[in-house]
Amino acid sequence: MPDPAARDAAEEASALSHPAVAPDSTAPYGEHPDQIVDFYAPRDRRDRVPLVVVLHGGAWRAPYDRRHISPFADYLARRGFAVASVEYRRGGEVPVPRGADPVAGRWPETFDDVAAALDALPALAAAHLPQADPRRTVVTGHSAGGHLALWAAARHVLPAGTPWRLPAPPELRGVVALAPIAHFERAVELGVCGGAVTQLLGGEPDFKARAAATDPSALLPTGIATAVVQGREDTVVPLPVAEAYADAAARAGEMVGLTLLDDVGHFPLIDPAADACAVVAEEIAQLAW
């Protein structure tokens, strides 16, 4: 039985060993330096193709930006998709003790940015990625980005008065969430990512009210086709988080596809060198095409 910590370290090292891949173009969706989208054109395609929106993970913390997922974005482009990789504001600038994790997320800027980026993408893609067909859009994200992908697909069911609420469902073919932080209560119980969920929402007394508008498990059913891909051996965002989300969806009357990968941890899902990444691309293709 391989040591879980050693396996995790090896998988992370492999996923992060690929050089960052420069996009074909970049465009702002706001004035802040982090409010930008990288576009990757589909390789060897001249027809209109589905648009895949990628939201990176990293526990909503500032040190982890979209560059670490650029090889994955390029991998999808090489599989024939048009790809938009979204950057967004992450952990704030509050000083943290030496050796401690940076603060996770900014309230409300992290959600402001994801909503603004998704709203701006049809026009941005038309200008910077003309091969993209916005009528065939799939949103995907890894870890904390998986949470944001599920949230972006649920904005039409946010509580009334929530600033990011949409009047109608977004025009998406679906969402493919990769090891997502999809059920806040279970994630807090398990201490996922060093308490990142509590940091993201600001803790008490704000946690409950903010979770009602941001926890994917509380925003069901969405009516949007949803697939979750999860490694059974994931110790970063463990399987019980995905299972809790799928159970919540079932109780709400919604079927969520849950693809479980044996002998796979957290990072192979975005590692172009891993077989798990091909499974992810196929899940996206099934919704997109």
Side-chain angles (χ1 to χ4, degrees), residues 44-176:
D44 302 320
R45 297 292 296 255
R46 296 184 181 277
D47 53 333
R48 299 289 296 279
V49 299
L51 173 64
V52 180
V53 181
V54 174
L55 293 161
H56 70 82
W60 312 285
R61 291 185 168 121
Y64 307 101
D65 63 20
R66 71 197 185 286
R67 285 176 293 185
H68 81 270
I69 210 168
S70 63
F72 173 73
D74 176 68
Y75 173 83
L76 294 178
R78 288 187 280 111
R79 299 283 293 240
F81 296 107
V83 181
S85 182
V86 175
E87 190 57 278
Y88 52 90
R89 283 174 284 183
R90 303 169 305 287
E93 300 174 355
V94 178
V96 297
R98 183 182 297 274
D101 286 328
V103 175
R106 294 192 198 184
W107 183 273
E109 289 89 347
T110 296
F111 298 96
D112 289 343
D113 288 359
V114 173
L118 269 292
D119 291 346
L121 264 177
L124 290 177
H128 296 272
L129 200 59
Q131 286 173 271
D133 182 355
R135 297 169 300 177
R136 292 181 287 171
T137 298
V138 173
V139 181
T140 190
H142 178 239
S143 195
H147 156 260
L148 293 172
L150 293 170
W151 179 81
R155 289 171 56 204
H156 59 296
V157 297
L158 296 181
T162 306
W164 314 291
R165 182 181 168 95
L166 293 176
E171 294 186 8
L172 300 176
R173 283 286 179 91
V175 55
V176 179

Side-chain angles (χ1 to χ4, degrees), residues 193-213:
C193 297
V197 171
T198 302
Q199 293 176 11
L200 173 70
L201 300 187
E204 298 296 343
D206 300 317
F207 187 94
K208 185 175 181 180
R210 291 178 176 180

